Amino acid sequence: MIDKHTPDPFLTTLGLARRAGKLILGWDRIDEYSGHISFCVVANDASERTVLNAKKRAETVSVDYSMDILGASLGIKRAAVVAVTDDGFAALLKKKMQNN
């Protein structure tokens, strides 16, 4: 969860990946993207259809964050699914998830 006093390392890294242009936000954009996707991150309250679609496109990881929290960490209102397009950021995010 986001704590105002202690930044969440996973969410911080996800925000950094967005600023670096290595994320695709939202299923429609992911579906249209023709390049490499390292893995998809899915919010814990995303619809079953979104989860199934993401799993068809790439390795998918469900996280313990709501769409509101995931979106807030990326500077948008809500995010059900985001795709990581860079293998380096993907490895770093997976490491951060294991450390939480």
Side-chain angles (χ1 to χ4, degrees), residues 1 3-4 10 16 22 26 28 41 43-44 48 54 60 63 65 72-74 78 83 87-88 92 94 96-97:
M1 300 298 285
D3 179 355
K4 293 180 181 179
F10 177 81
L16 181 61
K22 304 300 181 184
D28 291 337
V41 177
N44 63 7
E48 187 175 321
T60 301
V63 291
Y65 304 108
S73 73
L74 299 170
R78 302 179 90 199
D87 291 336
L92 185 57
K94 288 177 184 178
K96 301 284 183 189
M97 286 180 8

Side-chain angles (χ1 to χ4, degrees), residues 5-80:
H5 303 291
T6 306
D8 182 289
F10 177 81
L11 295 176
T12 301
T13 304
L14 200 63
L16 181 61
R18 178 168 191 219
R19 289 187 297 279
K22 304 300 181 184
L23 291 186
I24 303 168
L25 307 176
W27 173 248
D28 291 337
R29 289 188 179 124
I30 292 169
D31 192 35
E32 294 170 356
Y33 184 72
S34 62
H36 170 71
I37 293 178
S38 299
F39 79 104
C40 292
V41 177
V42 180
N44 63 7
D45 55 348
S47 73
E48 187 175 321
R49 181 176 176 184
T50 298
V51 174
L52 290 174
N53 285 337
K55 285 181 178 180
K56 289 177 187 175
R57 185 65 167 92
E59 176 187 354
T60 301
V61 178
S62 293
V63 291
D64 194 27
Y65 304 108
S66 69
M67 290 188 284
D68 293 330
I69 291 173
L70 197 57
S73 73
L74 299 170
I76 59 175
K77 187 173 180 179
R78 302 179 90 199

